[in-house]
Amino acid sequence: MRGNPRAETHSESPKAMIDLPKYPTQHGYMTEKVQRDYITAAIAQGLLPEDAHRMPEILSLTAPGDRAQPMQFWQLYSLLGQEPLVRIVQDFYQRVFADEDWFTSVFARVGDVTHHINTQASMWIDVMGGGPYYHGAEFRLSFHHTHNAMQLMTDRGAERWSQLMLAALDASAPLLAEDPRLRISLNTFLTHFMGKYAAEFAFEHRSVFGETNPPFLRKINLRRMSEAAIEALSEAEISAALRARGVDVSRYQGKADLVNKALML
């Protein structure tokens, strides 16, 4: 080990730290399966580290209290609770049932607007850490898409669905104003599922919802790491750790220079 082993303290402004969970969380029928699928996909895309399946801060249903840390979409319930999620889904389906007949009629054959609000909100709450609400889990969801909504699992249907959901999210901005991570996490959730459906039903995947979660960067204390451990970090991780200490990393070219600076701390 290098440097002073004394734990360092960092002052955080009240706005940067929040006490979570605000709402009690629980795994639902879909939570863990969706979580595993997303983590696997995110690792492949370089958004999560290789050991993300074993990282408590990622697996937890409670969002990090530090607003500088990303919020996974299965942690949304811990901050939002049930009512805002239901209201977003309600806004969306009111738009669906007021839309053109080619789109609305597919939903109307299954049930009225209240049926769809209850079903969709149950699925969201289940995935997002609110507990077991969506009975039937992925089998039920797949059955619905292949038997009830197949006409809309196309480029045209996906585009219209996305446009209406984007409008609902934008109109629901006051519900998400407490923490900027809320909208980003919802965007990540919707983009992940739209990508999944695009692959399953062979339509074009267009991410229209907005900013999604950036690559996850661990909190790294360079002063408590060995030289070998620092060298094993990625260039992005070293840069982030140095920036967190107030170092102007633009002065250093390439990973070797960054490693040397880290070893000088």
Side-chain angles (χ1 to χ4, degrees):
M1 303 294 287
R2 304 184 309 109
N4 189 339
R6 178 175 56 84
E8 296 180 280
T9 59
H10 299 273
S11 61
E12 298 282 357
S13 68
K15 290 185 178 180
M17 296 294 294
I18 50 178
D19 188 18
L20 290 172
K22 290 181 64 175
Y23 299 91
T25 60
Q26 184 182 1
H27 283 98
Y29 297 111
M30 293 184 65
T31 321
E32 291 177 289
K33 172 64 164 57
V34 172
Q35 188 183 66
R36 287 195 302 270
D37 290 348
Y38 172 77
I39 290 173
T40 299
I43 290 173
Q45 296 168 36
L47 296 173
L48 289 177
E50 292 289 338
D51 59 345
H53 285 290
R54 300 187 298 275
M55 294 176 65
E57 63 267 46
I58 291 177
L59 297 178
S60 174
L61 296 182
T62 300
D66 180 358
R67 286 180 171 168
Q69 297 299 311
M71 178 188 300
Q72 306 304 325
F73 59 75
W74 49 86
Q75 300 169 342
L76 277 162
Y77 191 90
S78 69
L79 178 54
L80 269 182
Q82 187 173 120
E83 182 180 353
L85 295 172
V86 173
R87 288 173 62 183
I88 294 169
V89 173
Q90 182 178 38
D91 184 295
F92 169 70
Y93 275 108
Q94 287 171 344
R95 295 173 190 274
V96 167
F97 275 79
D99 205 60
E100 298 176 19
D101 183 68
W102 71 269
F103 188 78
T104 301
S105 61
V106 178
F107 294 89
R109 285 199 302 270
V110 178
D112 62 12
V113 66
T114 301
H115 167 82
H116 285 282
I117 291 169
N118 290 339
T119 302
Q120 183 83 2
S122 294
M123 182 269 191
W124 280 31
I125 291 166
D126 191 290
V127 170
M128 295 174 185
Y133 277 83
Y134 194 69
H135 298 270
E138 294 235 4
F139 175 83
R140 177 183 178 183
L141 193 62
S142 176
F143 183 92
H144 168 67
H145 289 139
T146 55
H147 290 81
N148 299 330
M150 193 64 181
Q151 287 175 259
L152 299 181
M153 306 307 288
T154 63
D155 289 338
R156 186 186 185 202
E159 181 179 19
R160 191 64 189 136
W161 193 100
S162 298
Q163 290 170 345
L164 295 179
M165 179 57 75
L166 180 59
L169 289 173
D170 289 345
S172 302
L175 300 175
L176 308 174
E178 181 178 355
D179 190 320
R181 297 177 299 172
L182 289 169
R183 174 61 187 271
I184 294 172
S185 186
L186 275 168
N187 292 345
T188 304
F189 164 72
L190 293 165
T191 299
H192 170 67
F193 271 91
M194 191 57 71
K196 167 183 162 65
Y197 300 147
E200 289 178 3
F201 296 97
F203 61 77
E204 185 178 357
H205 177 34
R206 297 175 183 172
S207 180
V208 302
F209 304 107
E211 181 183 0
T212 56
N213 276 352
F216 183 92
L217 295 176
R218 307 170 189 267
K219 281 190 171 182
I220 298 170
N221 189 337
L222 295 169
R223 294 181 63 186
R224 298 175 66 87
M225 296 176 68
S226 67
E227 180 175 350
I230 291 174
E231 290 177 342
L233 296 172
S234 70
E235 184 174 337
E237 288 174 320
I238 301 172
S239 294
L242 288 171
R243 282 197 299 271
R245 290 189 166 277
V247 175
D248 179 6
V249 295
S250 66
R251 298 171 52 193
Y252 303 94
Q253 302 298 316
K255 181 176 177 179
D257 285 351
L258 293 169
V259 169
N260 288 335
K261 177 59 181 176
L263 293 173
M264 292 170 60
L265 295 177

